[in-house]
């Protein structure tokens, strides 16, 4: 995917039986990448990690099934590559709000600078 400064995508995941594991990397630009544990039976349910992925640091992030994923573009433009273990299925697509208070994610930009798609604006809160 290619996005511009301030664009926030997520928090997205695929519902069962089409859950995906993903390997994410940035080939151009820089993002804040966030992964949230949404497995209700997990000891770390609702917890998240946040990492910076960029063309300079060349880091990658593995996201297992059962986690929601989102990213925020911190550079003028960012190109993000996904490697997935199962094909995308539109009927299984789901997500939660990026600003859900249960997750309390510390995004690297002020809310006023965040750009959301109409679809992501409609995502529900987890409760």
């Amino acid at each position: 995917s290619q996005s511009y400064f301030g664009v926030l995508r997520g928090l997205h995941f695929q519902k069962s039986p089409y859950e995906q594991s993903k390997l994410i990397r940035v080939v151009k630009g820089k993002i804040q990448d966030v992964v949230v544990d949404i497995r209700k039976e997990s000891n770390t349910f609702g917890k998240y990690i946040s990492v910076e992925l960029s063309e300079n640091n060349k880091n990658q992030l593995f996201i297992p099934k059962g986690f929601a994923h989102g990213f925020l573009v911190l550079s003028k433009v960012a190109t993000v590559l996904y490697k997935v273990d199962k094909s995308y299925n539109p009927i299984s697509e789901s997500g939660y709000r990026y600003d859900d208070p249960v997750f309390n994610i510390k995004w690297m930009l002020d809310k006023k600078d965040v750009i959301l798609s109409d679809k992501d604006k409609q995502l529900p809160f987890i409760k």
Side-chain angles (χ1 to χ4, degrees):
S1 71
Q2 184 168 316
S3 302
Y4 299 94
F5 178 81
V7 168
L8 193 149
R9 296 184 182 266
L11 302 162
H12 302 145
F13 61 94
Q14 293 277 132
K15 296 183 281 188
S16 182
Y18 300 101
E19 296 168 298
Q20 295 175 320
S21 294
K22 302 175 189 173
L23 183 63
I24 309 295
R25 73 182 180 111
V26 173
V27 294
K28 181 178 183 182
K30 178 171 63 172
I31 65 171
Q32 176 189 4
D33 208 324
V34 172
V35 181
V36 181
D37 186 351
I38 57 170
R39 302 168 300 162
K40 295 201 183 220
E41 72 287 349
S42 171
N43 290 341
T44 56
F45 171 77
K47 304 283 190 234
Y48 74 93
I49 63 160
S50 172
V51 298
E52 187 177 290
L53 300 179
S54 74
E55 64 184 300
N56 293 329
N57 69 22
K58 300 185 185 342
N59 290 334
Q60 298 182 58
L61 182 63
F62 178 73
I63 304 162
K65 294 174 174 85
F67 290 76
H69 172 247
F71 68 85
L72 173 63
V73 179
L74 302 174
S75 55
K76 185 175 178 180
V77 65
T79 303
V80 180
L81 295 182
Y82 299 75
K83 188 174 236 183
V84 296
D85 67 347
K86 192 175 278 190
S87 296
Y88 169 76
N89 185 304
I91 63 168
S92 178
E93 180 180 59
S94 194
Y96 295 118
R97 288 279 305 202
Y98 82 100
D99 57 352
D100 193 312
V102 170
F103 306 141
N104 195 28
I105 298 168
K106 305 296 183 228
W107 293 99
M108 293 180 174
L109 293 179
D110 290 334
K111 197 170 188 170
K112 67 178 177 49
D113 296 321
V114 169
I115 301 165
L116 292 176
S117 70
D118 288 339
K119 188 163 95 174
D120 283 354
K121 287 177 185 174
Q122 303 304 315
L123 290 174
F125 293 98
I126 197 163
K127 288 203 173 188

